[in-house]
Amino acid sequence: MKKILVTGGLGFIGSHTVVELQNRGFQVVIIDNLSNSKRDVLDRITEITTVTPEFHQLDLRNRKDICTFFDKNKIAGVIHFAAYKAVGESVHQPLDYYENNITSLVYLLQEMKTRNIDNFIFSSSCTVYGQAEELPITEDAPVKPAESPYGNTKQIGEEIIAESCEAYGIKAIALRYFNPIGAHDSIKIGELPLGIPQNLIPYITQTAAGIRKELSIYGNDYPTPDGTAIRDYIHVVDLAKAHIAALERLLGNKNQTPFEFFNVGTGIGASVLEVVACFEKVSRQKLPYTIVERRTGDITAAYADTNKANKELDWKAEKTLEEALLSAWKWQQTQ
Ligand code: UFG
C-alpha cells in the first residue's frame, strides 16, 4: 500500500481528499498544525472510512521536525494543502503569507529532493489568471500579476515547483481550483470558517442559520447578465477526486512533462444572485440580502474550461450546484 503524505489534511479540502484516498486504498499520513482546523476531523474521517489516518501535529516551517518525520516515514507522494488562504488578510499580513506558504513549500521540496520522493500535488488557484480575457478559462490563458499576497504565493509556488521539477527530477501537478464549496455526503466533514466568513457560501449558510443578519452582495453593476459577479463553484468531493486522479497520473508515470497544471472546476459559471436563488430553492427559505459596493480585488467572471482535466486526468465534476449548496446547508445545520 502506497503511503501518501497529506499536509493540511484536517482542513476543508484536505479532509475530503483524505477520505477519497482511503476509499481508494491508499495509506494516509497527515501533517497539520491545527492553525485552521480541528483534531476532531480525524474522528469524522474514521467514521466515514472506518480507517484512522496517521496524524502528526507539526508545523512545516519547523525544518527539524519535518526532517525527522521523513526519516521515520517512507512516503510515495505528497499532496500539499497546508497554507494560509484568506485573500483579504494576506493584504494586511503579507509577510505571514510569504513566510508560511513559501517556507513550508520549499522545505517539503527539499526533503523530497534529498530522499528521491518524486510525486507532488500542489493546491493552486484560478486566481493566477486574474480577470482572464477569454471565458471559459483554459490553461493557456496567461498568468496575470497577482492581486494579493495570497495569490502571489500560489504563482510563486508554481514557479518554485516548476524549477524544482526541472532541476531535481521531481514530478508535480498543480491543480488550479475554482471555487470549492459543499460538504461530504455523510455531512460529517465540511468547511469550518474561522470568525466571519469571507467566502460566499459559508456567509449564505450562516445567514440562513440566523448567525448573520443578511448577506451583503458585493456589487450588481458588473458587466454580467444580472450585474453580479460570476464564479465556477465546484463541490469539494469532486475536487478531492481530482487529487486522486492527479496522484494516480504521477504514480503511473502518465504525466507528459515533469510539471503540469490543470484547471479544476465544473465549467459552469453562476452569478451571486443565481447562487442565492439556488440556495433559496434547496433550503426552502428566503435569504435576506442587500446590494453593497464592489469588494476591492474582485473580478467580474471566472469559470473553467475543463477539457484538459477531463481528457488528461480522466476526471470530470459530477455534482451540481444544487447538490453542493444542499450539502453546505445540511452541514451548517449540524454546527
Ligand atoms: N461575495 C459576496 N458577498 C460575500 C462574499 C462573497 O457578494 O459576503 C461574492 C464575491 O464578491 C464574489 C463571489 O461572491 O463575486 C465569490 O466570492 P468568494 O469570496 O466566495 O470567492 P472568490 O471568488 O472571491 O475567491 C475564491 C477563493 C480564493 C481564490 C479565488 C480565486 O476564496 O482563495 O477564488 O479567484 F483566490
Side-chain angles (χ1 to χ4, degrees), residues 84-87 124-130 148 150-151 154 177-181 191 197-204 214-219 222 228-233 270-272 275-276 290 292-295 297-300 302:
Y84 291 155
K85 61 172 187 181
V87 180
S124 190
S125 167
C126 68
T127 192
V128 301
Y129 300 117
S148 69
Y150 160 77
K154 294 300 175 192
Y177 311 157
F178 282 68
N179 290 52
I181 63 164
E191 196 169 3
Q198 304 303 309
N199 294 118
L200 180 63
I201 283 34
Y203 207 101
I204 287 178
E214 61 182 4
L215 169 72
S216 298
I217 294 182
Y218 300 134
Y222 283 101
T228 62
I230 292 175
R231 296 289 182 275
D232 182 341
Y233 297 92
S271 73
V272 178
V275 171
V276 168
T290 171
V292 301
E293 289 289 285
R294 290 183 182 192
R295 182 169 68 178
D298 273 356
I299 55 168
T300 302

Side-chain angles (χ1 to χ4, degrees), residues 80-97:
H80 180 44
F81 292 104
Y84 291 155
K85 61 172 187 181
V87 180
E89 181 185 69
S90 78
V91 175
H92 302 291
Q93 302 170 26
L95 292 177
D96 293 343
Y97 274 68

Side-chain angles (χ1 to χ4, degrees), residues 82-133:
Y84 291 155
K85 61 172 187 181
V87 180
E89 181 185 69
S90 78
V91 175
H92 302 291
Q93 302 170 26
L95 292 177
D96 293 343
Y97 274 68
Y98 290 115
E99 191 227 8
N100 189 39
N101 294 7
I102 302 298
T103 308
S104 56
L105 173 64
V106 170
Y107 285 178
L108 272 177
L109 291 170
Q110 278 176 327
E111 291 300 330
M112 292 179 64
K113 173 199 123 194
T114 312
R115 296 159 199 276
N116 297 317
I117 302 167
D118 57 2
N119 302 301
F120 189 76
I121 312 285
F122 180 62
S123 300
S124 190
S125 167
C126 68
T127 192
V128 301
Y129 300 117
Q131 180 57 68
E133 307 291 330

